[in-house]
Amino acid sequence: MTRYPIIQSPMLDDIEHRLRPCPTYCHGFLGEDDRKLVQILTEDQGTVHALGLTHIGIAERLRSLTEAARGGWGDPELVDDKFFVEVHEIRGKLPCPWPHPGLYQKGFARLENIKTGEKLVWTELSIHLIGEHGFYEGKGSPYRLDPKDLKRILEL
Amino acid sequence: MLQIALGLLALSAFAGFLALCLEAADAYFADYGECRVNINRGEKELVAEGGGNLLSVLTDQRIFIPSACGGRGSCGLCKIKVLEGAGPLLPTETPYLDPEEIANNVRLSCQVKLRNDVKIEIPPELFLIKEYKVRVAGIRDLTPDTKEFRFQLLDPGAISFKAGQYLQVNIPEYEGCDEPVYRAYSIASPESKPEEVTLVVTKVPEGIATTYLHDLLEEGSEITLNGPYGDFYLGESDRDVFMIATGSGLAPIMSLLYKIADEGIQRKTTVIFGDRTRNDLFYIEELEELGQRIPSLEIITTLSRPVEEDRWNGRKGRVTDVLKDRLESGENTEVYVCGNPAMVEAVEKLALESGVPRDRIFYDKYA
Ligand SMILES: Cc1cc2nc3c(=O)[nH]c(=O)nc-3n(C[C@H](O)[C@H](O)[C@H](O)COP(=O)(O)OP(=O)(O)OC[C@H]3O[C@@H](n4cnc5c(N)ncnc54)[C@H](O)[C@@H]3O)c2cc1C
Ligand code: FES
Ligand SMILES: [Zn+2]
């Protein structure tokens, strides 16, 4: 990926520790991905850039899709004549594993691209993780959003 | 350019390393001795070894302060007043505190380290929060993804709570989850049956607590709960009551209805309970029984997407459609709402538009 050594700061070490399966989230945010966090971030950043996208742009699209379907209270809503999106909100909020204020609503959004039948699942926390931290989660995490899948399924 | 970047990285790594060393040195070498925690101007005093944060010191002494982040300083729920001995406000606290709170010595208890004697103030109702050892007396399927759990209280043997409040369930370590976690669940059972509590839990895909409760917890096993928490309970007035619920949001509404029945409260009460299909509805028999015990009670169940097999002749549409038809004037009305957060928002908006004052619309704030 890069010619230069990647050095992970102690702050990222600390965050990586929280992202690994347990203590706070059973499946964690990294799945079985054993790469260093900084490497995951750098590689996804490179892919997003190569696809001509930005973290903020992706996060905003996910947010607008969530907003468009939130009123369905879990029932599928047709959005932009292209997608069925259902938003299931769950009582309870959870913090971001990065150290800063704020809690994110539990629950998930499920999208189906009508033309291809491909599906995506994300959560309010995923939107924040992408937009603020450029973090798409590790491979094998149930909420991993591969930038290439996002581009294709969301037709970005 | 690259050299500058690497230099900066190395510098930040070194600064971080130094911070870690200081932290470690503080943990190993600092000896603060025994510190006194004076609570509510002498009402209670406890002594604890210095060095820990106030939240964990209080929790160790069985005083439970609300927390959603386990003391990581990111939920802002663990606020208490520290009148003396807290030391300066930390940058990790300021984002959560408004100027009035800062002026009133409010602090995040998980961020304040106990280094000397302190004087603190906490709401007296937090003293009522206890830890309960319970045995699972029964587990019953209510819908394909919702189960009812009946817990028999072992130690202490009874709980005092207000109908509508919730408990925190301590989910112990289990395979794949190395650390206990706490999750909130509303009490569905009556205040008048204090030796048992019933919780209604809907399964969440990949959820830590709901996976444990649905798939691993067995009848006869023992776990711990703590509580009660929350200010979602029946206000004292003779106003008409609208109770609106979807899904497991019916749990605290059941407890409120048992209270109305047990205490013979004579308030015109309308319950609107809705979900997608007939399969998602539960406690229908229990609601009918309550209907017989409470003469002033009307129960409306509604389905937003009934399917053919449901053979549903009842009301169709969402709970908000029913509420719109029924809520004529908000002047003499209280609204209690629980369930899907987007539904709670929609009900609140509708109730406000119908003239129900904001302070008569009740729901769990942190849900
Ligand atoms: C006051 C109150 C009362 C409540 N009462 C009830 C009740 O009576 N009945 C009931 O069923 N529930 C109730 N709840 C909800 C309950 O407390 C739990 O929040 C719920 O059961 C889910 O817990 P869980 O541990 O299974 O899920 P969790 O594991 O805590 O959360 C799962 C959610 O976390 C997010 N998430 C997790 N991992 C990731 C990741 N890697 N990337 C992105 N996002 C992620 C997703 O949004 C996911 O949906 C109540 C909540 C509150 C606050
Ligand atoms: S416990 Fe969450 S901020 Fe203190
Ligand atoms: Zn964050």
Side-chain angles (χ1 to χ4, degrees), chain B residues 101-139:
Chain B
E101 287 174 320
I102 293 176
N104 284 314
N105 300 311
V106 175
R107 303 289 299 263
L108 290 190
S109 60
C110 71
Q111 300 299 302
V112 176
K113 202 166 183 178
L114 186 65
R115 300 170 202 263
N116 42 257
D117 294 352
V118 291
K119 287 191 176 160
I120 66 171
E121 220 173 81
I122 56 178
E125 60 268 22
L126 292 186
F127 289 127
L128 298 177
I129 297 169
K130 290 191 186 133
E131 192 163 61
Y132 294 87
K133 195 165 166 206
V134 299
R135 176 180 300 124
V136 185
I139 302 179

Side-chain angles (χ1 to χ4, degrees), chain B residues 132-152:
Chain B
Y132 294 87
K133 195 165 166 206
V134 299
R135 176 180 300 124
V136 185
I139 302 179
R140 172 162 78 114
D141 286 331
L142 296 178
T143 76
D145 67 353
T146 301
K147 284 183 197 270
E148 176 198 76
F149 295 84
R150 264 186 321 111
F151 296 105
Q152 186 201 342

